[in-house]
Amino acid sequence: GNAWQFGGCPTGADKVHVGLDVTANASEEVYAAHTGVVRKIFTGQHSTWADAIVIEDINGQFTTVYWHVIKHGDLAVNDTVVKGQHIADIADLGGNTHFHLGVRAAAFNDPESYAGALPEVTCGGYAAFPEYFVDPESISYD
């Protein structure tokens, strides 16, 4: 993956790619890393980025964002999910098919809880260095 690699914004500011990109195959199942509440289902261009799902843990201490997926079934905002629940499938992005996992050590906030996974080259009007994101490989879910 390319976790924590910097890219550039048109303004010249650096932007960090917050999270971890994992090699994946289209249609592979994605499971919730923890029990929590679905706070956002961001629908993107399916041919380019697909969807993102943001889940806040039940204590409101952190959020996880699952990018480049297609939500599973009738999953909806405010649904409670349990650790290990099938929440999405990997989207078919052609030669760029992959999965992005981001972890933010803070309660849900829109758009900060998912903006760190946006394309690095445009910055999309979001902060170049989104706050509170942590390296997903440095934590464990208990």
Side-chain angles (χ1 to χ4, degrees):
N2 60 347
W4 312 107
Q5 297 299 309
F6 287 87
C9 295
T11 61
D14 286 333
K15 178 181 170 75
V16 71
H17 178 262
V18 291
L20 180 67
D21 281 348
V22 179
T23 301
N25 296 310
S27 301
E28 281 186 282
E29 295 180 353
V30 176
Y31 304 98
H34 57 90
T35 298
V37 178
V38 176
R39 294 296 184 203
K40 180 84 171 182
I41 298 176
F42 177 87
T43 302
Q45 278 188 305
H46 279 203
S47 63
T48 306
W49 300 108
D51 299 339
I53 299 169
V54 181
I55 299 174
E56 181 179 51
D57 85 301
I58 57 174
N59 298 314
Q61 295 180 343
F62 67 93
T63 55
T64 49
V65 59
Y66 308 79
W67 265 99
H68 313 309
V69 299
I70 305 298
K71 75 175 182 94
H72 177 70
D74 60 358
L75 187 73
V77 172
N78 295 323
D79 282 356
T80 297
V81 297
V82 296
K83 182 178 179 177
Q85 180 177 332
H86 181 195
I87 59 169
D89 299 296
I90 301 296
D92 185 352
L93 302 179
N96 191 31
T97 298
H98 67 285
F99 172 66
H100 177 101
L101 175 67
V103 179
R104 185 172 181 263
F108 176 74
N109 196 28
D110 194 348
E112 289 83 0
S113 291
Y114 59 87
L118 292 175
E120 296 173 14
V121 294
T122 64
C123 295
Y126 299 104
F129 194 93
E131 61 183 359
Y132 302 116
F133 275 89
V134 297
D135 183 348
E137 292 184 307
S138 69
I139 59 172
S140 65
Y141 303 100
D142 291 325

